Amino acid sequence: MSMMEYLAYAAFGLYLFLIVAGGLAAVLSKNLIRSLVGLIMTLFGVAGMYFLMSAPFIALMQILIYVGAVSVLIFFAIMLTRAPGGESGIEGSTPKALKRGLLALATALMPAVILGAIIIRKTPETLPLKPETALTVLGEFLTGPFALSFELISVVLFVAMAGAVLLGFERRKSE
Amino acid sequence: MIQQISQLLPELWQIAVVLVLFLETIGKPANDAAKPKWLPLAAAAGIFVAVFSLKADGLLFFKAYQVDSLSQFFKLAVLVGFFIVVLNADPLPTVESEKRSDYFLFLALSALGLMFLASTVELIAVYMALEISSYSLYALIPLRGKDQRAAEAGIKYVLFGAAATAVSLYGLSYILATQHSTYLEVLAAADWTWTHSPLAVIGLTLFLAGFFYKLALFPFHFWCPDVYDGTGNETAAYVATLPKLGAVVIMIRLVAMLKPENGIITIIAVLGACSMTFGNLSALIQKDLKRMLGFSSVSHAGYIMVGLSAVSAKGLAAAGYYSLVYVLMNLACFWVICRLATDGRNITLDDLNGLYKRAPGLAFIMAVGAFALVGLPPTAGFMGKFFLLTSAWNRGHDWLVIIACLNTAISIYYYLNIVRHAYTAEAEEPLPAPKPGSALWGGVLATLLLILGAFPGPVFHYAEVAGKLLIP
């Protein structure tokens, strides 16, 4: 293996660590803000993966949209609704909680182990890709073969926003 | 250009309905209690548009959108269902009056997503169309006044739905990584054997999980009874019926790519068998009608798998025909439930007592619906099951056919229990009689079920033509 390959593996490991650690922090933290910071860490890790796959445009978009816009939006949502904390509904570490944790762990590990074993045994061949896909090619893909999906996304976003408005108004009224 | 527009007429009609509803939601005065009166008429016109374009044929949007007999059949089924659901949601007692146009907007959007789903032949577009229909339901399900159960049902549906979607997308990434395409046209020619491309097989199985969820197939069924139970009766009538059509049409298209001896087909058959057995056994002890219908839909998802596991034109046609019949018979049962629940409460078996005296029309509709769900002649349910079982016999899954027959025997108990309560039990205290004339459209549904049972030929033949396009 050349130097570059070692570096690539090291970068892969680093990003993987960021993703997993961020995900765990997001799930396990009792503080809503800390959870969000964990989520942001995961999103950065995913952006790194895009860089590694030589898709810098997607990586930058990931940082710009998810880390930049979406996370800030969630921060605002937390800020405007209630004080951070989320202390309610936390159960102590009773034996039952321990058992539940073990079951959850087993459930999470089973597919990972099976899928991992199959991937390691039957690794698909890597395709020789061009180092970087030009933006114009990307645009042609979105307006060409994937034009329908591209248009449908806008309908999905419309439905999501209108639905949020509908349910949001309901909550305000019932308070 | 003109030709392309003519191929998209049903979708364009539905989009127009959505747009008008949207304008109404943002333009209406604050306390306008009326439900859009034009909507049933527009939905009925949609059925005519769909019938008119049954023969449409073409490949649009860079080959991502296939208009063929199969898609037109399902679009017609969706529009018929949408019409009935709109009529059914007439009093809508549990939704505040100022939210009613929004309610119908989301119903229409969800139906639109299902119509897209019927035609998309590119996996990312399939996913998008599925999301359009799911997101609309995420907004609809919690709308039941201030009922806590509805909020719980909404959260369950969103969370489980998000998890199923994540699994589905993960599978899509495997398909993309091994087969390098998302177009069904290309994927159909690809190798789907376990020995050559195990990752692709895993990917497709995971991708199907999203549709198993929509169908409420075991082991993705757990949301189904709770959501039906928690959400409003009118919403449950929609959630229980139309989304299944969208899931079935995609599964028909995906299964048609595979060979009968493929491992995925075995998985589908095994899940179908589990689904039938589990659904029927759980339904036996239910008292709440909507919960019972929830478990019944779990078992019906299993029956549809019988047709899919045959992997023949006839099997696919039987699955399509049965899903249409399934929609009609469930809508018939929900019609009665919604008429009886004038205040929007949940209906139990005891609420049906003495129904034959109070409302003979509704009792008859309920009886036809229940007989059809069991699969007794002369209803369409019998013909649907007959087509399913005969198409699957001698196709390598004979054990599945036997399990399906045994399950039908089990299910007789609880379906006929409904009829027993409606016809032989007497009400202890006098219950209010439903409004006169409330049986009209339910009567039409019951008649349709009887007609499709007596003369299934034309509709089934059309479905078979559609099936032959996929598996010659």
Side-chain angles (χ1 to χ4, degrees):
Chain A
M1 273 204 284
S2 67
M3 190 65 197
M4 280 305 276
E5 269 179 76
Y6 276 119
L7 277 179
Y9 274 110
F12 180 78
L14 175 69
Y15 299 143
L16 199 64
F17 171 76
L18 283 179
I19 292 175
V20 173
L24 284 177
V27 174
L28 296 177
S29 171
K30 293 188 173 85
N31 185 314
L32 216 49
I33 300 289
R34 288 207 182 134
S35 294
L36 192 55
V37 173
L39 179 68
I40 292 174
M41 192 162 145
T42 303
L43 294 173
F44 265 118
V46 173
M49 287 289 187
Y50 284 129
F51 271 119
L52 202 60
M53 290 185 280
S54 67
F57 176 70
I58 310 280
L60 289 174
M61 283 300 123
Q62 164 89 8
I63 294 177
L64 198 69
I65 296 174
Y66 283 94
V67 181
V70 175
S71 304
V72 171
L73 207 63
I74 301 178
F75 265 124
F76 269 111
I78 296 173
M79 211 168 73
L80 292 178
T81 45
R82 61 179 65 116
E87 235 57 53
S88 60
I90 290 172
E91 294 151 42
S93 55
T94 54
K96 205 180 163 199
L98 187 71
K99 190 184 162 199
R100 200 182 299 161
L102 279 178
L103 284 177
L105 197 67
T107 319
L109 276 182
M110 199 177 68
V113 167
I114 294 175
L115 290 176
I118 290 169
I119 290 187
I120 289 169
R121 274 186 47 208
K122 297 246 181 189
T123 316
E125 289 171 41
T126 31
L127 282 187
L129 284 182
K130 273 173 277 173
E132 192 182 323
T133 312
L135 266 188
T136 45
V137 180
L138 209 63
E140 274 163 18
F141 255 105
L142 280 182
T143 48
F146 294 100
L148 180 64
S149 316
F150 190 65
E151 295 301 327
L152 288 183
I153 289 175
S154 50
V155 184
V156 172
L157 286 179
F158 164 71
V159 176
M161 280 191 284
V165 169
L166 179 64
L167 294 179
F169 275 140
E170 175 172 65
R171 201 168 307 132
R172 192 170 302 168
K173 271 194 96 126
S174 63
E175 268 170 12
Chain B
M1 186 67 196
I2 298 293
Q3 199 203 351
Q4 286 188 344
I5 288 177
S6 72
Q7 286 162 348
L8 289 174
L9 275 181
E11 289 91 326
L12 290 175
W13 180 260
Q14 189 72 5
I15 290 174
V17 169
V18 166
L19 283 179
V20 176
L21 277 172
F22 179 59
L23 290 179
E24 243 180 43
T25 59
I26 53 176
K28 71 183 169 196
N31 273 325
D32 186 1
K35 99 168 197 165
K37 285 201 176 52
W38 54 272
L39 189 58
L41 291 177
I47 298 177
F48 283 108
V49 173
V51 171
F52 174 72
S53 51
L54 264 182
K55 293 263 181 269
D57 186 42
L59 198 52
L60 305 153
F61 301 122
F62 300 90
K63 295 189 179 172
Y65 201 77
Q66 173 97 50
V67 177
D68 56 8
S69 313
L70 181 72
S71 73
Q72 300 314 92
F73 176 80
F74 274 93
K75 277 174 207 164
L76 176 60
V78 166
L79 281 169
V80 169
F82 179 66
F83 172 61
I84 305 281
V85 168
V86 166
L87 284 176
N88 186 30
D90 192 10
L92 214 54
T94 50
V95 178
E96 288 102 328
S97 55
E98 72 268 17
K99 275 193 207 122
R100 289 195 183 150
S101 342
D102 297 273
Y103 185 88
F104 289 107
L105 170 68
F106 283 99
L107 273 188
L109 269 171
S110 180
L112 179 67
L114 295 174
M115 289 166 72
F116 285 140
L117 205 53
S119 269
T120 44
V121 286
E122 193 267 316
L123 292 183
I124 295 178
V126 166
Y127 164 71
M128 285 300 159
L130 180 73
E131 287 303 279
I132 293 177
S133 94
S134 309
Y135 275 42
S136 321
L137 293 182
Y138 295 157
L140 280 181
I141 285 177
L143 281 188
R144 193 191 193 185
K146 293 189 175 71
D147 202 318
Q148 287 291 323
R149 287 171 301 172
E152 186 194 322
I155 287 174
K156 271 187 183 153
Y157 198 63
V158 171
L159 285 183
F160 292 151
T165 308
V167 171
S168 204
L169 276 182
Y170 190 59
L172 179 60
S173 75
Y174 275 40
I175 297 177
L176 198 55
T178 47
Q179 311 285 28
H180 310 301
S181 175
T182 54
Y183 280 79
L184 291 193
E185 196 188 10
V186 182
L187 293 179
D191 187 0
W192 290 101
T193 51
W194 176 258
T195 38
H196 288 105
S197 43
L199 285 182
V201 173
I202 292 180
L204 187 58
T205 315
L206 292 178
F207 186 71
L208 281 173
F211 297 91
F212 292 161
Y213 170 81
K214 277 272 146 198
L215 260 182
L217 189 76
F218 182 89
F220 299 93
H221 63 278
F222 33 76
W223 59 274
C224 179
D226 291 347
V227 168
Y228 291 7
D229 189 26
T231 190
N233 295 332
E234 291 81 8
T235 321
Y238 182 89
V239 179
T241 50
L242 293 190
K244 321 264 166 170
L245 286 173
V248 170
V249 66
I250 290 302
M251 291 191 66
I252 287 179
R253 283 195 196 278
L254 291 178
V255 161
M257 306 191 313
L258 303 171
K259 300 216 163 49
E261 61 274 11
N262 194 300
I264 299 177
I265 302 298
T266 314
I267 293 177
I268 287 178
V270 170
L271 290 185
C274 295
S275 196
M276 284 182 243
T277 315
F278 179 84
N280 277 327
L281 291 181
S282 311
L284 287 177
I285 51 162
Q286 301 303 327
K287 290 273 177 285
D288 186 304
L289 262 188
K290 275 197 296 175
R291 256 192 120 67
M292 179 189 286
L293 286 175
F295 281 111
S296 127
S297 75
V298 173
S299 71
H300 280 281
Y303 292 131
I304 290 173
M305 294 306 117
V306 176
L308 291 179
S309 70
V311 202
S312 61
K314 215 174 157 212
L316 299 188
Y321 182 81
Y322 197 70
S323 56
L324 171 68
V325 172
Y326 167 84
V327 166
L328 292 178
M329 52 203 186
N330 263 289
L331 282 177
C333 291
F334 273 107
W335 183 272
V336 179
I337 293 178
C338 294
R339 296 292 80 72
L340 291 180
T342 40
D343 53 354
R345 68 181 192 286
N346 278 7
I347 296 289
T348 60
L349 276 176
D350 291 334
D351 286 319
L352 291 177
N353 286 352
L355 187 65
Y356 74 104
K357 259 191 210 154
R358 275 182 289 150
L362 290 182
F364 176 72
I365 297 164
M366 201 70 192
V368 173
F371 276 121
L373 283 165
V374 184
L376 287 178
T379 60
F382 168 72
M383 289 318 292
K385 273 214 178 93
F386 176 75
F387 289 138
L388 279 178
L389 298 180
T390 47
S391 71
W393 191 253
N394 264 337
R395 298 287 300 177
H397 296 291
D398 290 352
W399 56 270
L400 184 60
V401 178
I402 295 168
I403 291 182
C405 290
L406 289 178
N407 267 297
T408 307
I410 299 175
S411 68
I412 288 178
Y413 170 76
Y414 64 91
Y415 288 131
L416 293 197
N417 202 11
I418 299 178
V419 181
R420 183 176 70 86
H421 273 276
Y423 273 96
T424 61
E426 296 297 333
E428 282 166 15
E429 61 215 78
L431 293 160
K435 273 188 295 182
S438 59
L440 175 65
W441 287 102
V444 171
L445 274 175
T447 320
L448 261 180
L449 281 173
L450 292 173
I451 291 176
L452 279 176
F455 309 103
V459 179
F460 185 73
H461 179 70
Y462 188 84
E464 209 172 359
V465 170
K468 283 209 174 97
L469 281 179
L470 292 174
I471 302 183

